[in-house]
Amino acid sequence: SAPPLTDQQIAERAAEIMVDDVPLYYWFTRLCSGKEPNLLPTPMASASLGGLVTQTGLQGLFKLADDEAIIITYGTGNAKYSGPCMQDWWFRTVEYWERQTSLTLGHSLPNADGTYTVVVSHVDPGVHNWVDTGGLHELLVVQRWQGLPKTPSGVGPTMQTRHVKVSALPGLLPAEMVRVTPEQRKQQLERRRAAYARRRVEH
């Protein structure tokens, strides 16, 4: 029932939010950039830091040349949601509506043992589970496992990374990893754009 904000009130609120966000995003950026490059750490339960009991996460830093890639293999720990997400130095997710710069469990295909293997690289390696760098050679990386059982059973979330040359990928990826053609990649990206459009309302 309150009246709409005036332009002046909106401007003042925007300025306040921008100032308030500076220390938070500086902390987030340092949390990622302070890690050893190209090696994601062991997932940490958010509850240990006062966060959600059903969430685990990690942060890291990738530094990749044009001919390099990171192979990520992770276990879900029975989480309902997980997946790596690439960010720039302003902690903005890299063009996820146009590029495959993140992958959820629903967008990924699992390995035979239930783990997930993802390739992060500048060059499209021709595999379904590819995460695009968006052309950035330094990336802040975040991955979360959400919707974990409140009472853990079995093995929790796991993470393994390998820093390799793109040319070495064929001999290092799981045999069952699904390959895609350029046309299939085009269709994959079209589905991504359509999913974004469904939940995006332009005013």
Side-chain angles (χ1 to χ4, degrees):
S1 60
L5 297 177
T6 65
D7 288 348
Q8 179 64 27
Q9 288 173 317
I10 291 172
E12 290 173 356
R13 183 172 293 186
E16 182 181 351
I17 291 171
M18 283 189 283
V19 172
D20 284 348
D21 276 354
V22 170
L24 173 64
Y25 280 92
Y26 175 76
W27 178 75
F28 275 134
T29 300
R30 292 295 297 161
L31 199 61
C32 292
S33 63
K35 302 289 194 304
E36 181 180 348
N38 303 326
L39 182 65
L40 295 180
T42 301
M44 178 180 291
S46 298
S48 65
L49 301 172
L52 295 171
V53 175
T54 55
Q55 176 177 279
T56 288
L58 58 76
Q59 303 82 29
L61 170 67
F62 286 167
K63 293 185 176 182
L64 292 175
D66 290 340
D67 63 344
E68 294 179 329
I70 300 288
I71 302 174
I72 296 173
T73 298
Y74 68 92
T76 68
N78 294 315
K80 295 178 181 178
Y81 166 90
S82 188
C85 182
M86 304 298 115
Q87 330 259 354
D88 66 14
W89 276 99
W90 293 98
F91 221 77
R92 297 173 301 186
T93 308
V94 184
E95 294 180 2
Y96 63 91
W97 55 93
E98 286 288 343
R99 294 172 177 265
Q100 196 162 277
T101 55
S102 62
L103 278 178
T104 66
L105 295 177
H107 293 141
S108 308
L109 297 177
N111 299 321
D113 63 359
T115 63
Y116 287 78
T117 296
V118 173
V119 176
V120 181
S121 62
H122 301 293
V123 179
D124 187 342
V127 297
H128 184 278
N129 293 356
W130 172 49
V131 171
D132 188 350
T133 64
L136 299 180
H137 292 87
E138 294 191 2
L139 294 152
L140 305 182
V141 187
V142 172
Q143 181 153 344
R144 296 182 181 91
W145 287 257
Q146 293 179 322
L148 288 162
K150 290 184 179 179
T151 304
S153 59
V155 179
T158 60
M159 171 59 67
Q160 294 179 326
T161 51
R162 295 185 70 177
H163 182 204
V164 303
K165 294 290 187 181
V166 171
S167 58
L169 286 172
L172 299 174
L173 297 176
E176 71 270 25
M177 194 161 192
V178 175
R179 270 63 176 175
V180 295
T181 64
E183 180 59 29
Q184 289 171 323
R185 178 74 74 210
K186 180 181 177 182
Q187 294 170 1
Q188 192 179 27
L189 292 175
E190 286 174 351
R191 289 193 296 270
R192 189 180 187 90
R193 294 187 193 101
Y196 175 79
R198 281 197 302 272
R199 64 184 180 86
R200 175 78 175 173
V201 178
E202 298 290 350
H203 294 285

